Amino acid sequence: MIIVGMADSAVAKKPAKLTTLGLGSCVGISLYDKSTGVGGMVHIMLPSIENARAKDNIAKFADTGIPALLDEMTEKGAYKHRTTAKIAGGASMFSFNSNAQLNIGERNIAATKEALKQLKIPIVAEDTGQNYGRTIVLDTENGELTVKSALKGIKVY
Amino acid sequence: MKHKISSLSELQVSALREIVNIGVGNAVTSLSKMIETGVKIEVPDFKVELIENVPEVLGGAANVVSGVIMQVAGDVDGYIIMMLPEDAAQTICQIITNEDNVDILTPLNQSILEEVGHILAGSYVSSLSDFLGLNIKISTPMQTFDMLGAIIDQILIEMSQKVEHALLFDTMFILQGNRTDGFFLTMFDPDSMDKILDRIDKMI
């Protein structure tokens, strides 16, 4: 099992499994090309690199992390036009009464969808929003994405 | 920020540690009185970590805990988070309700945990306030039982828009007789850290 940390990404070929743990407002994006068994996962924290002060880690942002993940997958043999996406996370765990954080979870989901649309990668499954954390596991053997939560059980997409 | 957190002097670090220690010490005394059980604390651990690494440093993003989050406002901004593993949360609810085998997810027990977090953070913050001569207030608490990573990522996201590193003060406390522990995590905004360090520099 390959663990993808926060603001981190990884690519693997079957029969490997990729996982990222405890997604709250962050979004976990898993890409998969069934024809070659190449899968990738990125755990983004923010929608865009544009206004960020620290731009060193491109895996932190939806608009840079997702294209970079796809590039790495195609380098490892995946076909871009056969790659599909499954996404999870983007919850709103707490709502503090300050307006500083205009629902970051929703913004992360929107930016993720926009980045995938630009790359013409279809989203085939989505488990997003609400107010609870998620751990996801991508099985590169068959492309299944398992979404686990503390109290809401396990779902397989 | 003016003060570089990666190059704080030893004196600054030990002053910070001492302040947090006194604050958490006061908080834990309140807890001890409330649940009529001895509670010990460990000397706070002071860490400067890359934001991305924080969940791992705190014991792993997938770890399921009861978390109470409070926003800090006034002269300084930040967050105080109390995290308890399930058994510690259960122990506290059992002692307060005087019942066995409580379910920590009932609304009553959720609000007990919320209130415990609030009381602890309140006495912690009032001691920081007195010591530093700053006006520090806390928001109403929010409690949830979920994965550690999910509980704190919203806060880490907010911080990551300003800085790359987070300053963590984490203090373990141990409920005697139950061998269970929890911790208090304090994170300040970089500008707030500047204010706190300025006060400390004037004292030492």
Side-chain angles (χ1 to χ4, degrees):
Chain A
M1 187 91 84
I2 299 163
I3 297 178
V4 176
M6 191 177 221
D8 185 16
S9 71
V11 170
K13 240 180 160 157
K14 67 180 176 187
K17 284 183 179 175
L18 291 159
T19 185
T20 195
L21 312 170
L23 291 162
S25 311
C26 292
V27 175
I29 297 103
S30 77
L31 302 182
Y32 183 64
D33 169 15
K34 197 167 191 168
S35 67
T36 54
V38 176
M41 190 176 279
V42 60
H43 179 147
I44 63 106
M45 296 175 76
L46 288 163
S48 172
I49 199 166
E50 212 167 296
N51 300 317
R53 282 200 209 169
K55 301 177 195 278
D56 294 347
N57 182 2
I58 57 168
K60 200 187 263 184
F61 312 95
D63 63 349
T64 50
I66 297 171
L69 179 68
L70 184 65
D71 284 347
E72 200 188 332
M73 284 174 63
T74 51
E75 270 168 37
K76 298 221 164 119
Y79 293 100
K80 185 185 165 187
H81 64 279
R82 289 183 191 151
T83 299
T84 56
K86 294 182 181 179
I87 65 172
S92 175
M93 301 293 296
F94 301 100
S95 50
F96 291 104
N97 47 7
S98 84
N99 54 8
Q101 211 56 32
L102 255 173
N103 201 336
I104 186 67
E106 273 176 25
R107 283 168 49 213
N108 278 334
I109 296 166
T112 295
K113 289 183 175 171
E114 181 55 34
L116 289 167
K117 193 177 150 196
Q118 300 231 338
L119 296 167
K120 301 192 175 69
I121 305 284
I123 299 171
V124 295
E126 175 180 352
D127 188 335
T128 55
Q130 315 251 24
N131 62 347
Y132 57 89
R134 297 167 174 93
T135 283
I136 58 173
V137 183
L138 172 68
D139 187 344
T140 60
E141 195 76 67
N142 51 19
E144 272 179 5
L145 187 74
T146 305
V147 180
K148 302 176 193 171
S149 63
L151 301 170
K152 311 262 177 190
I154 295 177
K155 286 181 203 151
V156 180
Y157 293 93
Chain B
M1 69 191 273
K2 191 169 56 177
H3 296 272
K4 268 211 138 131
I5 52 173
S6 44
S7 59
L8 292 178
S9 74
E10 221 166 281
L11 212 53
Q12 284 175 318
V13 171
S14 56
L16 279 172
R17 190 176 277 151
E18 192 49 33
I19 294 167
V20 172
N21 200 18
I22 293 168
V24 177
N26 283 343
V28 158
T29 307
S30 322
L31 176 64
S32 186
K33 278 185 194 148
M34 204 176 356
I35 63 175
E36 295 172 348
T37 303
V39 182
K40 280 196 299 195
I41 55 165
E42 284 177 6
V43 178
D45 211 353
F46 171 89
K47 299 183 192 108
V48 178
E49 286 292 339
L50 254 182
I51 286 174
E52 293 92 300
N53 296 343
V54 170
E56 282 320 300
V57 171
L58 297 178
N63 218 348
V64 176
V65 295
S66 160
V68 181
I69 297 194
M70 284 141 291
Q71 208 168 12
V72 176
D75 291 337
V76 293
D77 294 312
Y79 289 96
I80 295 175
I81 306 155
M82 181 182 76
M83 301 233 203
L84 300 167
E86 189 173 1
D87 54 351
Q90 203 169 20
T91 301
I92 290 176
C93 290
Q94 275 171 359
I95 293 169
I96 292 176
T97 58
N98 206 9
E99 282 173 27
D100 292 330
N101 299 319
V102 300
D103 173 5
I104 61 166
L105 298 172
T106 63
L108 172 69
N109 289 317
Q110 297 272 299
S111 69
I112 286 176
L113 292 169
E114 208 163 75
E115 226 15 74
V116 168
H118 199 216
I119 292 168
L120 295 188
S123 58
Y124 173 34
V125 157
S126 78
S127 128
L128 285 188
S129 239
D130 289 349
F131 197 87
L132 295 167
L134 292 169
N135 172 27
I136 312 176
K137 290 178 294 202
I138 49 169
S139 70
T140 49
M142 297 203 208
Q143 199 276 342
T144 192
F145 182 71
D146 211 318
M147 300 166 185
L148 185 149
I151 294 175
I152 59 169
D153 77 357
Q154 198 173 331
I155 294 168
L156 296 177
I157 287 170
E158 190 178 325
M159 301 205 87
S160 76
Q161 287 168 306
K162 298 172 188 160
V163 283
E164 277 178 85
H165 293 84
L167 267 174
L168 307 175
F169 301 96
D170 76 63
T171 308
M172 296 271 280
F173 51 93
I174 301 156
L175 303 180
Q176 269 171 15
N178 290 288
R179 303 213 146 269
T180 177
D181 50 34
F183 63 89
F184 248 138
L185 177 70
T186 318
M187 286 195 273
F188 290 112
D189 189 75
D191 294 338
S192 305
M193 260 334 280
D194 271 341
K195 276 191 202 162
I196 294 171
L197 289 166
D198 280 344
R199 295 283 165 141
I200 288 174
D201 285 347
K202 277 181 201 145
M203 283 178 220
I204 56 182

